[in-house]
């Protein structure tokens, strides 16, 4: 009984103490990885922490240098960015589909499995907010991390996928539209 009398105040104090709040993620912290991302060069780049650290030293205005240091060939990303922007702003559905990789990640954790499904859901995927984000984005100011190139505030992600085991050939496409 005496032990109980000694333990009760200690337990009450412990119950009232507040744990330290969790640390805030860094402003440039990548979004959570998906299981399917493991086969992409972006996932391989995750292991290349020195490359990511080097990217932090590059001025924010120079997306090409950041892409080169983190993901590889910036020209491929810029080509897809420009083609996708022209297609979205111009409302060219067929050209938009050409720049998309399927399955496509969309809002709510859903996936679009192919071009037909994409075309049927086009207005739900390419919303006015997506069009605005794409039309206002300048390539020199895109956000870059080991997962890809972000357009807007995360509405669109351009990702690279290795075409061979050595990842010597990479295909860049739009992998997420939210």
């Amino acid at each position: 009984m005496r032990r109980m009398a000694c333990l009760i105040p200690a337990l009450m104090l412990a119950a009232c103490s507040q744990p330290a709040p969790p640390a805030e993620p860094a402003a440039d912290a990548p979004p959570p990885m998906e299981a399917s991302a493991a086969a992409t060069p972006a996932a391989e780049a995750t292991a290349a922490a020195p490359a990511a650290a080097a990217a932090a030293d590059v001025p924010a205005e120079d997306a090409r240098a950041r892409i080169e240091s983190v993901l590889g060939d910036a020209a491929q990303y810029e080509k897809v960015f420009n083609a996708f922007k022209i297609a979205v702003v111009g409302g060219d559905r067929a050209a938009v589909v050409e720049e998309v990789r399927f399955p496509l990640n969309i809002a709510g954790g859903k996936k679009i499995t192919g071009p037909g499904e994409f075309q049927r859901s086009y207005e739900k995927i390419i919303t006015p907010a997506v069009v605005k984000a794409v039309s206002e984005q300048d390539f020199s100011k895109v956000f870059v991390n080991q997962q890809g190139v972000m357009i807007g505030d995360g509405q669109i992600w351009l990702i690279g996928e290795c075409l061979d085991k050595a990842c010597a050939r990479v295909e860049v496409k739009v992998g997420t539209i939210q």
Side-chain angles (χ1 to χ4, degrees):
M1 190 65 126
R2 288 185 184 187
R3 286 187 187 177
M4 197 79 135
C6 293
L7 289 176
I8 290 176
L11 291 173
M12 290 179 74
L13 283 174
C16 293
S17 66
Q18 296 290 323
E24 289 292 321
D28 64 344
M33 294 283 294
E34 293 183 23
S36 64
T40 66
E44 292 175 6
T46 302
D57 299 331
V58 178
E61 296 293 316
D62 193 3
R64 288 163 196 84
R66 290 192 322 270
I67 292 169
E68 291 286 338
S69 68
V70 176
L71 301 170
D73 185 11
Q76 287 187 62
Y77 286 88
E78 188 168 14
K79 178 181 174 193
V80 172
F81 172 89
N82 289 332
F84 186 72
K85 183 173 185 174
I86 290 167
V88 167
V89 172
D92 185 346
R93 292 177 178 217
V96 170
V97 169
E98 290 298 316
E99 302 307 322
V100 172
R101 173 173 294 116
F102 295 101
L104 172 70
N105 299 313
I106 62 169
K110 298 177 184 173
K111 293 190 183 289
I112 299 295
T113 58
E117 184 181 2
F118 182 86
Q119 292 290 3
R120 288 188 297 278
S121 303
Y122 188 87
E123 288 82 15
K124 293 177 184 174
I125 299 167
I126 306 296
T127 63
V130 168
V131 174
K132 182 177 187 227
V134 172
S135 66
E136 293 178 352
Q137 183 70 60
D138 183 87
F139 186 75
S140 67
K141 296 180 182 172
V142 294
F143 174 81
V144 179
N145 69 18
Q146 68 273 11
Q147 290 185 296
V149 172
M150 181 179 83
I151 299 174
D153 292 324
Q155 289 93 336
I156 295 97
W157 280 87
L158 305 179
I159 58 171
E161 182 177 320
C162 294
L163 300 176
D164 56 28
K165 288 189 185 238
C167 204
R169 296 182 316 127
V170 176
E171 179 183 53
V172 176
K173 293 280 189 177
V174 174
T176 300
I177 302 176
Q178 337 190 58

